[in-house]
Amino acid sequence: PQGSVDCPNLEFEYGDADAPPCTSSEWLELDAAQQKAYVMRLLDGLEVVNRDKRLRVARAILYLAQGVFGDCDNEGDVLHWSRHNSFLLYQLGTFSAFLELLNMEIENSQACSSALRKPAISLADSTELRVLLSVMYLMVENIRVEQETDPPEWKTCRETFRMDLSFPVHTEEPFALLLFTMVTKFCSGHAPHFPMKKVLLLLWKVLLLTLGGFEALQAMKVRRREELGLPPLPEDSIQVVRGMRAASPPTYAIELMEQQQQQQQQQQQQQKRGHRSRRPLMKQDSLDIYNERDPFKNDEGGVDEEENDDVDSGIEGELDLMERDAIIPVMPAQRLPIERVSFPKGLPWAPKVRQKDIEHFLEGEEEVQETPCEVLYRAMLYNLPQYMIALLKILLAAAPTSKAKTDSINILADVLPEEMPITVLQSMKLGIDVNRHKEIIVKSISALLLLLLKHFKLNHIYQFEYVSQHLVFANCIPLILKFFNQNIMSYITAKNSISVLDYPHCTVCDLPELTAESLEAGDNNQFCWRNLFSCINLLRILNKLTKWKHSRTMMLVVFKSAPILKRALKVKQAMMQLYVLKLLKIQTKYLGRQWRKSNMKTMSAIYQKVRHRMNDDWAYGNDIDARPWDFQAEECTLRANIEAFNSRRYDKPQDSEFAPVDNCLQSVLGQRLELPEDFHYSYELWLEREVFSQPIRWEELLHCQ
């Protein structure tokens, strides 16, 4: 099916990252020994004291990591050399050397104080950091991505690199924690010159390498269910949505639709004559998405006050892209007799488990497996609230709807030049760079937050709940809604990139002369991949935060999210629409009967496209009298359980010498002590010596009381 003229169907492939261009060619000018010798000489140059010389050597290594584009004839050669050199650099210890330099630059108090004294920070204040982070980013990204043509030793190298970043040998913490620390330092104002775009991009790619992307998560879910003896997953949600794109309506569905429309036309004609049909109503009739108009529009003046006709017109074709095989056929008027069978109201046996047994299972000792996810959570635990607040602060500053404030953080330090533009063309280029800069930051933060939530949920549910609760406390829900409270179609189709300046095209091709007209025209892409990717990620985060949480669902209602989310349905992309409909589904019972009457197209879309559960009363349940104190109690109970989990699992003292003393008599007497095997032979002698033969000093006992 084809989309409307104003918004065509978007051929968008959702994944961990955009698809890289194909690679070809080889590096034939130097043999392996010569390449290694040259890299080793460069690494020796990093040991010099002179800062400028170190920077020149680091830039030479960056040139290698970028693919020695000066010797290449096409983009494929550049990408091939970049991958080849990244593996070579890692095998020779370049990443460890750059990690030491990065730690030095982070602790460089002179650079920090210089940046704090400046009224305006520019690119010049982060030169060294940007070179170091660029090399590390290229190494992580090139080593992370697997290709069929990779030699066997590269696979071993990739696994070694992943282990080095997850279980550090030279440092006490995983590499991702260092990047989280850089984010918090930047937001606290102690290091305003840190290049946040590069830090966040590197952090996202490090999490993809160490924890795994969406495909790895799905494989981990399958393996975990096998270990627990659970049935296999029925489907992969992402794959199901991808299948919706090419689906076409079957013939029987079209016939049923035509038959249903004819029946409805007959009913309308009868109503005009004053005759009312006495046939019982069916739920499917009220959720017919193919009606030209809603049957309840004229009842009680049922118009959605918060939405106009333009919103509804954008939803009429919103499901053209989605699967129609799941249409529930309307049964004909003549029904076959159904034999009634009586089923028992419950199971014949009551489950033999006590509440005490459940609590003991949840609070007992457990063997914790040292996975990369577990190591990262333990390292992040005590500063995790600060990490989440810092990420959301940067996300707020990068949101298109945010207005610049004097007290807000400056995320443009690593994009603004030392000298501001003086011509119209320079101003246009800088404006495109600034918008692209913000879009990359939003893409990185949304992707890494989603990865953290999904991996922590799979590792332990309370780890997921801990991160989720701190995101909610830091106003993540209204922030995401603020992000979507814009012209979302304009954001999806933004042209904030100059294709001729993209890497590696700009390194091997002759660049045309840039003019104001060419910049305004932009590229010919149907949509901006990173912006659509960011929107889907933010919607998935919002779903994870609010699912099964009544208090957070009420936040969606209080912040009037329904019209904002309905506007997002104008984007005709199946996956994005699915997560919007999920968010609308969970709050329909709180929006009232009048809203449901006025938004029957949306209700029909939810009914047809969102997964439903047994006894699901999302559409037909009575309006709920929301009591905020009940929801607050629910959140407090969850917080108490999370704190008990963290205390039980992570607050154990490492050294018994510094362990706190237990002064509770009942607790001390209740402890099990390990006694020697021959104790029972001398037990009576011990009683005689230590108890019976000792005089009882009653006055001391009275003084103790």
Side-chain angles (χ1 to χ4, degrees), residues 40 80 130 196 285 293 376 418 457 499 616 621:
M40 293 304 295
H80 171 81
R130 284 185 291 108
M196 272 302 103
D285 290 341
R293 55 188 294 275
L376 179 62
E418 285 187 281
K457 187 175 183 180
S499 56
D616 205 342

Side-chain angles (χ1 to χ4, degrees), residues 306-353:
E306 296 176 325
E307 299 171 13
N308 52 26
D309 294 337
D310 182 50
V311 175
D312 281 340
S313 64
I315 296 178
E316 285 187 52
E318 73 199 22
L319 298 176
D320 292 341
L321 203 61
M322 292 188 171
E323 182 185 24
R324 293 183 178 175
D325 296 339
I327 297 175
I328 299 179
V330 179
M331 297 296 294
Q334 297 179 354
R335 298 172 182 250
L336 295 175
I338 300 176
E339 182 181 355
R340 296 190 176 274
V341 181
S342 60
F343 293 98
K345 292 185 178 180
L347 295 174
W349 301 104
K352 294 189 70 173
V353 61

Side-chain angles (χ1 to χ4, degrees), residues 250-398:
T251 306
Y252 79 90
I254 296 176
E255 294 174 352
L256 286 170
M257 287 157 48
E258 294 176 351
Q259 178 185 358
Q260 186 177 355
Q261 288 177 350
Q262 292 175 0
Q263 293 176 356
Q264 289 168 353
Q265 290 175 359
Q266 293 175 0
Q267 290 179 7
Q268 291 174 0
Q269 292 175 358
Q270 290 176 359
Q271 289 176 359
K272 287 182 179 179
R273 299 193 194 100
H275 299 288
R276 195 174 291 273
S277 174
R278 299 189 179 277
R279 197 183 67 174
L281 294 176
M282 293 184 293
K283 292 181 180 179
Q284 286 85 351
D285 290 341
S286 62
L287 289 174
D288 179 21
I289 195 169
Y290 302 101
N291 285 346
E292 291 294 327
R293 55 188 294 275
D294 291 337
F296 299 103
K297 281 288 183 179
N298 296 326
D299 295 351
E300 303 177 8
V303 179
D304 191 350
E305 297 177 356
E306 296 176 325
E307 299 171 13
N308 52 26
D309 294 337
D310 182 50
V311 175
D312 281 340
S313 64
I315 296 178
E316 285 187 52
E318 73 199 22
L319 298 176
D320 292 341
L321 203 61
M322 292 188 171
E323 182 185 24
R324 293 183 178 175
D325 296 339
I327 297 175
I328 299 179
V330 179
M331 297 296 294
Q334 297 179 354
R335 298 172 182 250
L336 295 175
I338 300 176
E339 182 181 355
R340 296 190 176 274
V341 181
S342 60
F343 293 98
K345 292 185 178 180
L347 295 174
W349 301 104
K352 294 189 70 173
V353 61
R354 298 173 300 168
Q355 182 69 21
K356 185 177 180 181
D357 296 333
I358 299 175
E359 293 174 357
H360 177 72
F361 173 76
L362 293 175
E363 302 176 2
E365 294 290 335
E366 55 183 327
E367 295 183 5
V368 181
Q369 188 177 1
E370 287 290 291
T371 62
C373 187
E374 180 66 30
V375 172
L376 179 62
Y377 180 81
R378 187 167 60 241
M380 292 176 61
L381 177 61
Y382 296 105
N383 291 318
L384 193 141
Q386 287 77 12
Y387 298 149
M388 297 301 109
I389 291 172
L391 289 173
L392 294 182
K393 276 186 177 180
I394 299 174
L395 182 62
L396 175 61

Side-chain angles (χ1 to χ4, degrees), residues 57-117:
V57 174
R59 278 178 164 158
I61 295 176
L62 175 59
Y63 177 67
L64 288 177
Q66 288 176 333
V68 288
F69 47 81
D71 298 334
C72 295
D73 297 326
N74 54 66
E75 297 179 26
D77 288 345
V78 176
L79 295 173
H80 171 81
W81 279 42
S82 181
R83 278 179 58 79
H84 179 277
N85 293 347
S86 294
F87 280 94
L88 177 65
L89 290 170
Y90 172 70
Q91 290 169 343
L92 297 179
T94 308
F95 195 89
S96 299
F98 270 66
L99 180 57
E100 294 180 7
L101 293 176
L102 181 62
N103 278 305
M104 288 173 55
E105 285 298 324
I106 292 173
E107 301 299 330
N108 189 348
S109 58
Q110 183 179 356
C112 292
S113 58
S114 175
L116 289 170
R117 287 195 303 267

Side-chain angles (χ1 to χ4, degrees), residues 88 92 99 176 187 317 346 377 453 469 513 515 623 663 674 699:
L88 177 65
L92 297 179
L99 180 57
C187 285
Y377 180 81
L453 288 172
Q469 199 163 62
E513 182 181 358
T515 62
D623 296 342
N663 294 317
E674 294 294 333
E699 65 281 1

Side-chain angles (χ1 to χ4, degrees), residues 606-629:
I606 296 171
Y607 186 81
Q608 182 181 351
K609 297 304 172 187
V610 180
R611 188 201 310 269
H612 301 286
R613 300 175 184 273
M614 295 294 292
N615 301 326
D616 205 342
D617 62 344
W618 67 274
Y620 303 101
N622 296 325
D623 296 342
I624 293 179
D625 181 17
R627 294 184 294 272
W629 51 88

